[in-house]
């Protein structure tokens, strides 16, 4: 299982991406971008961190509905979870929102 430090690093990347896009609301973040932001972490560690964050209800996950639009790197970054591939994650609550 991914260490707490790994989970925190992945969560921080997703949080920063959310805040950069729109500080007022949660935004979807591509897994491709999450993986690129933590090049020091292996795929397995990032996958385990994402699963843990999802299980802890800290993330929403979603697939790309129009799979034909996916690039090769977006397909490669996908995570198999719950019987399907996910390509996006989003915070379940805004930092500091109390939710």
């Amino acid at each position: 299982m991914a260490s707490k430090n790994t989970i925190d690093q992945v969560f921080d990347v997703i949080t920063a991406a959310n805040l950069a896009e729109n500080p007022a609301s949660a935004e979807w973040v591509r897994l491709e971008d999450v993986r690129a932001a933590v090049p020091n972490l292996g795929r397995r560690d990032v996958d385990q961190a994402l699963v843990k964050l999802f299980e802890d209800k800290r993330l929403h996950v979603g697939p790309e509905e129009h799979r034909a639009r996916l690039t090769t790197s977006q397909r490669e970054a996908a995570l198999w979870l719950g019987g399907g591939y996910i390509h996006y994650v989003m915070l379940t609550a805004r930092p500091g929102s109390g939710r």
Side-chain angles (χ1 to χ4, degrees):
M1 182 49 118
S3 70
K4 176 151 176 46
N5 186 40
T6 300
I7 294 167
D8 290 342
Q9 284 182 60
V10 172
F11 188 74
D12 289 347
V13 164
I14 295 165
T15 301
N18 270 238
L19 293 173
E21 289 297 319
N22 185 350
S25 67
E27 297 289 330
W28 289 106
V29 179
R30 290 185 185 277
L31 284 185
E32 173 185 35
D33 297 336
V34 172
R35 293 185 192 287
V38 286
N40 58 314
L41 299 177
R43 182 182 179 96
R44 184 174 183 185
D45 290 335
V46 173
D47 287 354
Q48 290 175 343
L50 290 166
V51 169
K52 179 68 173 149
L53 290 166
F54 174 72
E55 289 172 346
D56 290 348
K57 300 184 182 348
R58 294 169 70 187
L59 293 181
H60 294 294
V61 299
E64 171 57 64
E65 296 295 328
H66 304 284
R67 299 239 169 110
R69 294 181 186 171
L70 291 170
T71 65
T72 299
S73 60
Q74 290 166 340
R75 287 181 196 280
E76 290 171 353
L79 171 65
W80 183 263
L81 183 66
Y85 284 103
I86 63 163
H87 303 95
Y88 300 97
V89 294
M90 179 175 33
L91 299 176
T92 56
R94 301 297 301 146
S97 70
R99 295 186 299 166

